[in-house]
Amino acid sequence: MAIRDLTAVQARRPFQRRRKTCPFTGPNAPSINYLDVRLLQRYVSERGKIVPSRITAVSAKKQRELAKAIKRARFLGLLTFAEK
């Protein structure tokens, strides 16, 4: 009996994903700068890979800027290419 009640509740209210907003758009949004290592580290995984925009909710234009800034910081030695 309890199993039927649970499925009935799930059928009435399906899972709704909230719309993610880009953290770099808006009035108080931080600017993407290759010298801001603390900001860039939030978008790099512990293995050293750039985290995809579907996870971080960064827009496509800002994701390209972010990737360019991360690569520039890596080349200058501010960020590591890969973790051990």
Side-chain angles (χ1 to χ4, degrees), residues 8 10 12 15 18 23-26 31-32 35-36 44 55 63 66-68 70 72 74 80:
Q10 288 175 347
R12 277 183 272 157
F15 174 74
R18 70 175 178 86
F24 295 110
T25 56
S31 62
I32 299 172
L35 296 173
D36 193 359
V44 176
I55 296 173
Q63 180 74 14
L66 187 65
K68 194 175 286 188
I70 290 171
R72 188 170 285 165
R74 283 176 179 166
T80 59

Side-chain angles (χ1 to χ4, degrees), residues 1-15:
M1 191 75 168
I3 295 173
R4 284 188 189 171
D5 294 337
L6 182 63
T7 56
V9 170
Q10 288 175 347
R12 277 183 272 157
R13 190 179 54 196
F15 174 74

Side-chain angles (χ1 to χ4, degrees), residues 35-60:
L35 296 173
D36 193 359
V37 178
R38 285 184 61 187
L39 177 74
L40 297 179
Q41 281 179 338
R42 291 175 45 199
Y43 298 96
V44 176
S45 70
E46 55 272 352
R47 302 281 286 178
K49 293 183 174 184
I50 299 172
V51 180
S53 61
R54 62 184 163 77
I55 296 173
T56 59
V58 177
S59 66

